Amino acid sequence: MAPIVLTRFNCVTADAWNGVHNLNTANLKIALTNTAPVATNSILADIVQIAAGGGYTTGGLAVVTTSSSQTGGLYKLILETFTFTATGDVDPFRYCVLYNESSALDSLLGWYDFGSVINMTLDDGLKFTFGASNPALTNNLAP
């Protein structure tokens, strides 16, 4: 399966310029939704999350930053790969939204579209891979 690609929210560059994010120390999370995100969304309250249950909690799943780097105005954020394992039925979802829980309003970074609805039941696992070849965020901060 080809890696899924992060689509950035429009607010990311402005938020970076305005000091909203310190991605080296931020608590990042992934929220699951079955409602297509809109590029103009900017905070977690704009996202319709799936209901809590089956191991998913409202507010999402914590992710860990492995590394970040900036070269020539291009910022790359690498997150640790992790697997979410259902402890029961999880509401269907198609999208996962990466956001910064450390920012005052839970500022959005981007979203992944799995291409179709995912249904998870007890012991089903879903692996989130954010390696160097599939960074969580690549952002050109140049004006």
Side-chain angles (χ1 to χ4, degrees):
M1 177 182 196
I4 55 174
V5 177
L6 182 92
T7 302
R8 287 184 300 136
F9 288 100
N10 294 348
C11 62
V12 172
T13 301
D15 284 352
W17 280 100
N18 291 321
V20 171
H21 304 290
N22 180 348
L23 297 178
N24 288 320
T25 60
N27 293 323
L28 301 180
K29 285 192 164 184
I30 291 176
L32 302 177
T33 181
N34 204 29
T35 303
V38 178
T40 55
N41 293 151
S42 60
I43 59 173
L44 184 60
D46 295 334
I47 302 300
V48 179
Q49 293 184 61
I50 63 171
Y56 179 78
T57 57
T58 303
L61 311 164
V63 294
V64 176
T65 300
T66 300
S67 66
S68 63
S69 62
Q70 186 277 132
T71 305
L74 186 66
Y75 179 81
K76 187 181 280 190
L77 176 69
I78 308 295
L79 301 177
E80 186 175 278
T81 296
F82 75 97
T83 300
F84 168 56
T85 302
T87 59
D89 291 347
V90 176
D91 275 3
F93 62 92
R94 178 174 171 167
Y95 309 92
C96 68
V97 176
L98 180 65
Y99 75 96
N100 180 357
E101 184 185 45
S102 298
S103 66
L105 297 173
D106 296 333
S107 298
L108 302 177
L109 296 168
W111 77 91
Y112 296 91
D113 180 350
F114 288 107
S116 61
V117 172
I118 295 173
N119 294 291
M120 294 180 71
T121 59
L122 180 64
D123 295 330
D124 285 344
L126 180 62
K127 185 174 185 178
F128 293 85
T129 303
F130 305 106
S133 63
N134 190 35
L137 180 64
T138 301
N139 189 20
N140 187 341
L141 300 179

